[in-house]
Amino acid sequence: MDKKIENVVLNQIINQHLKPYIKQIDEEAYYPKEFLSAVGKGGFFTSNFLQKEDVRCREIYIIEETAKYCMTSAFTIWCHLAALASFRLSNNPYINNHLLPLFESGDVLAGTGLSNAIKYYAGLERIRLTAKRTDGGYTISGSLPSVSNLDNDHWFVIFASLNENQRIICTLPVNVEGLILESKTNYIGLNGSATYACFFNNVFIPDKWVISEEADEFIPKVRPTLALYQIPLGIGVSQAAIESIEKGHIKNKEGNKLIKPQLIDLINKLQIVRNRTYEYARDEDLRSKGKEILLTRLDIAKLTLEVVHAEMLYSGGQAYLQGSDTFRRLRESYFLVNLSPTIMQLETLC
């Protein structure tokens, strides 16, 4: 599909399946499942006949455009794409030939429970799930405090320890026997992200659901993509805040001259981060840019905070009305700060 046509189609999907539901998503924990499915059915998750660099650029753009209107929905797309990134790296024929087409078509949606893996390999957290070898697969026990983008017909990706020397990556459907989900909707934002605590009681994972039996080698391959795809969450929210500031700036140019930071400074900073992000996406060897990606992920978390706080100042009293888009973006920015890897973790890693 031509890029211009893709952009038109994506905007149509956003207008029809996302914009009318943003307040419900933010205020009533409404999960935008129809929107995600529509994005998939529009062909935006497929990687067929595309270079991996083109896939990355398109998927970053999808997250960015969605985040302009609703970071919750953009985050659920990130969850699905994070799972896709894992599936695409698997050497398991069943995953490649059977599961991957279902996820790329949008017929089946997925979340990712790899936060624990990222923290474990950074030396920040113990492994929460244990695996035992059994006939035809593994049994998994333990718990994950938060996994997002889950519904009764979804799948997700997990990380578990087999022994001191081996860790594995698997996928499983939400309705598998032995898995209990506990809904989490007490956040200041992102309640529409379909986030659950997950409790595993000897959950059986057949071999055909195993993404990799060598997690120590697998995680460094997928980690740069997971971090890279978080950056457009902040780019989209920041762009929306800047556009809001621009509208108000016209009305009170003289008074706004006194506010710091100035609008032009925010625009320039965001453009630098955005250009850098797409440059990484076009790099053939994403792993070689791992450190730079983490630094940019740190930059966008800090910049998004700066931009949305500026929007609060520029917007004045209307920003403090219940249900205002400005206040929603402020809350969304704090999610980005605490999304693993958090600012604290990034400062440690970088």
Side-chain angles (χ1 to χ4, degrees):
M1 192 189 301
D2 180 85
K3 285 188 177 180
K4 289 184 179 180
I5 296 175
E6 273 193 349
N7 294 346
V8 170
V9 173
L10 181 61
N11 285 332
Q12 289 174 342
I13 292 171
I14 289 173
N15 288 333
Q16 181 178 351
H17 296 283
L18 177 58
K19 282 185 180 180
Y21 306 101
I22 290 175
K23 283 196 178 296
Q24 273 183 272
I25 294 166
D26 183 49
E27 298 175 6
E28 301 174 24
Y30 174 76
Y31 171 53
K33 181 177 180 179
E34 290 76 13
F35 168 66
L36 269 72
S37 296
V39 173
K41 288 177 172 55
F44 290 97
F45 295 149
T46 184
S47 60
N48 287 340
F49 311 113
L50 292 174
Q51 297 292 324
K52 59 184 177 182
E53 295 86 355
D54 294 329
V55 172
R56 289 192 206 117
C57 287
R58 184 182 64 188
E59 293 179 342
I60 287 170
Y61 180 75
I62 295 166
I63 296 171
E64 176 187 344
E65 283 298 300
T66 303
K68 287 180 183 179
Y69 301 97
C70 175
M71 187 197 270
T72 299
S73 301
F75 174 59
T76 60
I77 288 181
W78 176 86
C79 292
H80 184 73
L81 294 178
L84 275 182
S86 298
F87 299 142
R88 288 168 182 160
L89 287 173
S90 179
N91 294 321
N92 187 325
Y94 182 82
I95 290 174
N96 295 335
N97 300 326
H98 180 73
L99 292 182
L100 183 58
L102 292 174
F103 296 118
E104 288 202 339
S105 68
D107 290 336
V108 181
L109 298 172
T112 180
L114 292 183
S115 173
N116 179 227
I118 302 303
K119 292 176 183 177
Y120 167 74
Y121 287 107
L124 300 171
E125 192 171 271
R126 63 176 178 81
I127 301 176
R128 294 181 174 272
L129 300 180
T130 58
K132 291 183 179 180
R133 184 67 193 173
T134 188
D135 290 341
Y138 298 89
T139 55
I140 307 292
S141 295
S143 63
L144 297 174
S146 297
V147 181
S148 299
N149 202 45
L150 300 184
D151 202 8
N152 56 14
D153 57 353
H154 289 30
W155 290 58
F156 64 111
V157 178
I158 60 170
F159 162 76
S161 174
L162 184 62
N163 53 53
E164 290 185 3
N165 301 315
Q166 187 179 2
R167 286 145 288 276
I168 62 174
I169 307 289
C170 311
T171 187
L172 70 156
V174 166
N175 58 9
V176 71
E177 185 178 352
L179 177 65
I180 297 174
L181 302 186
E182 184 179 291
S183 179
K184 302 183 74 171
T185 55
N186 59 342
Y187 300 113
I188 63 169
L190 277 292
N191 282 327
S193 59
T195 298
Y196 294 83
C198 300
F199 302 91
F200 296 75
N201 182 18
N202 290 319
V203 173
F204 177 64
I205 305 289
D207 287 327
K208 65 181 181 180
W209 295 352
V210 176
I211 295 173
S212 174
E213 291 183 306
E214 301 296 337
D216 294 2
E217 298 175 5
F218 186 88
I219 290 298
K221 294 177 184 178
V222 75
R223 183 168 49 205
T225 302
L226 304 188
L228 181 66
Y229 280 17
Q230 290 179 352
I231 298 171
L233 293 170
I235 293 175
V237 171
S238 297
Q239 183 59 44
I242 285 173
E243 290 175 4
S244 171
I245 293 171
E246 286 175 326
K247 290 177 183 176
H249 195 65
I250 297 172
K251 300 176 184 177
N252 188 19
K253 287 186 178 180
E254 289 303 313
N256 287 340
K257 286 180 180 178
L258 303 175
I259 296 179
K260 298 288 177 66
Q262 283 292 290
L263 178 59
I264 188 63
D265 296 328
L266 297 175
I267 292 172
N268 290 337
K269 286 181 181 180
L270 183 60
Q271 192 59 49
I272 289 170
V273 170
R274 190 176 189 274
N275 290 343
R276 207 187 306 159
T277 301
Y278 282 93
E279 286 174 9
Y280 297 147
R282 295 185 185 96
D283 198 293
E284 187 173 342
D285 182 15
L286 203 59
R287 289 183 66 179
S288 68
K289 300 294 182 182
K291 184 68 175 289
E292 291 94 328
I293 290 170
L294 289 177
L295 285 168
T296 304
R297 168 69 173 81
L298 179 60
D299 287 343
I300 193 60
K302 292 180 177 179
L303 179 58
T304 304
L305 283 177
E306 184 179 13
V307 174
V308 298
H309 278 105
E311 184 190 4
M312 292 292 291
L313 296 176
Y314 278 95
S315 298
Q318 66 181 13
Y320 295 87
L321 296 175
Q322 190 72 35
S324 75
D325 291 335
T326 300
F327 181 49
R328 172 175 52 80
R329 284 189 282 270
L330 181 74
R331 289 182 283 111
E332 289 173 340
S333 72
Y334 279 96
F335 173 76
L336 185 61
V337 166
N338 288 292
L339 172 62
S340 182
T342 66
I343 277 190
M344 185 185 304
Q345 292 163 4
L346 287 165
E347 295 282 15
T348 301
L349 293 171
C350 296

